[in-house]
Amino acid sequence: MNNGSKKLLIGGVIVVLLGGYALWASTRSTTPAPAGTTAATTADQTGGQTSVPSGTTNPNTIGQDGGVGDSSTPGDSTPSTQYKDGTYTGIVGSAAPYGQVQVKVTISGGKMTAISLLKKPEGPGETNEVTARAFPILIQEAISVQNESVHTVSGATQDSDGFRQSLSSALAQAQS
């Protein structure tokens, strides 16, 4: 092995080591846990994903059977808008390529009290399973935060986007 080959080999090893370190470092979360949670989580325990312990109010956490993760960070603020009582139908939101989403929102006492799905993605493969899992979470969180700023449900990005589009237009109609 000549001197040039040795340098190339050493350089390649250094690149691999630095890449491995960068990957390891990216799994180490430095973000503090949300207010109201007390249990510590580590990347080693969860395979690099942060989880929220049961008993908290995070609507994106479901039971032991493959919880719902989240990579978005919408504002978790107290609603400042008072809505007009009534029932409002949102536009048809896109969940392409899986279908469309349309919601109907019921406002009572100035607050969202119910959300029903008029249209939702349906189709072969996992589409129906993902839809059945995602929309109850999205609906629960939207009613909880009283706006369309809901987290994206892991594995249901298009459904979540279409839901937010439709809900946003319905709530715009309900603004007082």
Side-chain angles (χ1 to χ4, degrees), residues 1-16:
M1 190 178 264
N2 66 27
N3 213 12
S5 296
K6 286 180 184 179
K7 287 181 181 179
L8 185 60
L9 179 63
I10 290 172
V13 169
I14 290 172
V15 168
V16 169

Side-chain angles (χ1 to χ4, degrees), residues 84-88 104-108 111-116:
K84 294 183 285 187
D85 288 357
T87 303
Y88 303 92
K104 181 168 65 171
V105 179
T106 302
I107 308 291
S108 179
K111 295 185 177 195
M112 264 192 289
T113 57
I115 300 172
S116 59

Side-chain angles (χ1 to χ4, degrees), residues 2 4 13 19 21 43 56 66 76 78 87 90 92 96 107 131 134 150 164 170 175:
N2 66 27
V13 169
Y21 174 77
T56 65
D76 292 331
T78 306
T87 303
V92 175
I107 308 291
T131 297
V150 295
R164 281 190 293 266
Q175 296 288 323

Side-chain angles (χ1 to χ4, degrees), residues 27-55:
T27 64
R28 308 291 294 176
S29 177
T30 59
T31 305
T37 61
T38 56
T41 59
T42 65
D44 295 334
Q45 293 170 332
T46 61
Q49 295 181 357
T50 304
S51 63
V52 179
S54 61

Side-chain angles (χ1 to χ4, degrees), residues 64-83:
Q64 300 289 350
D65 57 347
V68 176
D70 177 21
S71 60
S72 66
T73 330
D76 292 331
S77 61
T78 306
S80 60
T81 304
Q82 183 80 9
Y83 299 114

